[in-house]
Amino acid sequence: MLGWATLTLLATGSGCGTPAETAAPATRDVGTEQRALAAATLRVTLQTWSNHYLVADKGGGADLMAYSTVPQDWETFTLTDTNGGSLVSGDVVTLQSISGQYGSAINGGGGAIRFTATSPQSWEQFTITKLNGTGAIGAGDKFSLRTVVTGQYVSATNAGGSTVNASGASAREWETFTLGVLGSGGGNGTDPDFGPNVFVFDPSMSMATIQGQLNTVFNRMEKNHFGNERYAYFFKPGAYNLDVQIGFYMSAIGLGQSPDNVTITGSVRTNANWFQGNATQNFWRGMENLSVVPTLDGNKMVWAVSQATTMRRVHVKGSINLWDSAWNNAWSSGGFIADSQIDNVINSGTQQQFLTRNTRLNNWQGQNWNMVFVGDEQAPSGTWPNQVYTVVDTTPVIREKPYLFVDDAGKFAVKVPSLRTNSKGTTWSTGTTPGAVLSIDQFHIARADRDTTTTLNAALSAGKHLLITPGIYHLSGALQVNNPNTVILGMGLATLIPDYGTAAMNIADVDGVSVAGVLFDAGVTNSPVLITMGSAKNSVSHAANPSALFDVSCRVGGAAVGKATSCLTVNSNHVLLDNIWLWRADHGSGVGWDTNKSINGITVNGDNVSAYGLFVEHFEGYQTLWNGNGGRVYFYQSEIPYDVPNQASWTHDGVKGYASYKVANSVTSHDARGLGIYSVFWNPVILENAIETPSNANVKFQHMITVFLGSTGGAAINHIINGTGNAVTNQNMVSKSSY
């Protein structure tokens, strides 16, 4: 298939009578025909008597067909009942493709069904009838579709294999279809409407059916490096036997109050088959709040990931490999695990660097350049630099990322975990994670197909939290987060793009804001900054209730031309940064020194800001500029820009290049541990110092490494920090310092 063509089957009311079987009108009376389309949805396939699947050919704009024997991209439908309950025999429905076009029975019936309509009127309405009984229609049921204008039945010619039209006189074999339920998008009478790109699975559903849908989405997303699709899987509490493969812009999320409430036997995994074992570009994906019993890949879970990935609140009831061991030379460059438990061996393999935080590790094996362990139980031991392990016994201050769950009454809610100081291990090992519970009705559930900057800001202004469903949101201005304790929770790497040179989000200098699971993408018009936290530096303390960013990424270029002078500016005090990747793209579309312009990744002006897992890469000036006191960074990963055209373009104040990590001369206290800074230069240029700091006893750096990854002759990083540390060149490729 050449495109992703999910169809939306939307119920527009209950059909109480039989449509008049008359000739199609010559003209269409649309005055009162269009009805409001609510969004209670199920994801389904529609299969003919001969086992062919209905297909929205070309993803819309063409005829409905029935030639597929495997349900893949274009064969997936979304079934929606606007009555807020189960779909029942007699409901009136419409078919909509992912392109937004509706399936029309041309002339009201008697001919082709074509996806060309932009709104659901009379030609686009069909009555659904259950053929193997009465009442609600569910997985495995037989049904027919009839036009509401002429009463003719939707018919798969020759029972499938070619065209579909609306000319059947009665519901015979060619007019009979079988419903395959692939997952719920909410709206089953209890669940919220999370839209068509969220699949809500229940253990009572057929495992084969769920597996078919998982395979369909993964086949689309495995190589979809810079695509527009976004997906999230929700697993309600219970036991599943599945192989859940995670590709780009995909998240697998358990809905239990503990990770052990959802158990997947098989695997939840990400490999690097799409890139011949090289997982260094396995970005933008995650798994949360579930347990896994690995029975594949030699009974080991494979989590071969790099930047912008997350594993949170996961219990691996076995062993895990952090690289794709099925391939030789299978590099990986991640990653992040927090609030999790690994029962057996965790093998880092070829991972270049990794951070685990507040995790029970049991048996860590492997090392490469920079492995950091903060607040972990059973962290590995070793002496730097022979073992590149940086172990911080307890996590000074943290609260975990908010998460969605289903409560004891079966209602959706969001838990906001409590702040912890000097913590070790998980939040859930002795029971439910402590914290505040927000009911789902306190959230505005955002949809990319209907929300705008105006509607999102109106919801925020009214005191609503935001749950941002998977999709790409184009913004005409910045989202303004002004209320304390606001939760903004993205799903499936929901993406915000400011189209007109504004910020994407401004967070006021207030307590307790959480922004989690969002990708901020620079627009073609330069934004001075994509995210701000606090409008200006001040002395206001937020120590008791800090604001935080969790699993947040910023991207400049890659998907398209993008420009942003800086990605993130932190002016507020006591902010928590937990797994942040700021990336000026080095590959993809819209990439070049003068194309995806961006000077700095992050500027920190606030005091007592803590970062656990800070990844900053390829910016044209300082990657990280730290101006506030009391800063704390545990794990830092940075590649300096590849594409510096010449030394003259990258020199300031007589200094060659811009340090990756710059602490301002005015800073009197800072603590950074476990830093890896790597170089690839396409032209012969020099970086004098990877790190620059003031000379002050309370500005402390521990365990630093620079690595030469391959460059044009004459390129080098001369020093690790402040004129000390050996140079890295094509003769000396690794340099380490304890400072």
Side-chain angles (χ1 to χ4, degrees), residues 353-355 369-372 580 582 601-602 611-619 621-626 633-640 658-662 670 672-678 690-691 701-705:
Q353 64 274 314
F354 216 91
L355 170 65
W369 297 336
N370 185 31
M371 305 296 179
V372 180
I580 308 299
L582 313 174
I602 179 172
Y612 305 99
L614 182 59
F615 305 75
V616 193
E617 300 192 282
H618 308 306
F619 293 89
Y622 297 118
Q623 312 298 303
T624 297
L625 179 57
W626 209 287
V633 175
Y634 295 157
F635 182 95
Y636 180 74
Q637 185 268 329
S638 180
E639 284 183 351
I640 48 187
Y658 288 82
S660 171
Y661 196 120
K662 172 70 174 179
H670 193 85
R673 311 186 198 184
L675 299 92
I677 298 169
Y678 317 132
I691 303 167
F701 278 72
Q702 300 178 40
H703 297 182
M704 296 157 285
I705 186 168

Side-chain angles (χ1 to χ4, degrees), residues 316-328:
V316 180
K317 297 179 177 181
S319 297
I320 182 172
N321 284 347
L322 299 180
W323 88 110
D324 193 344
S325 56
W327 294 80
N328 294 324

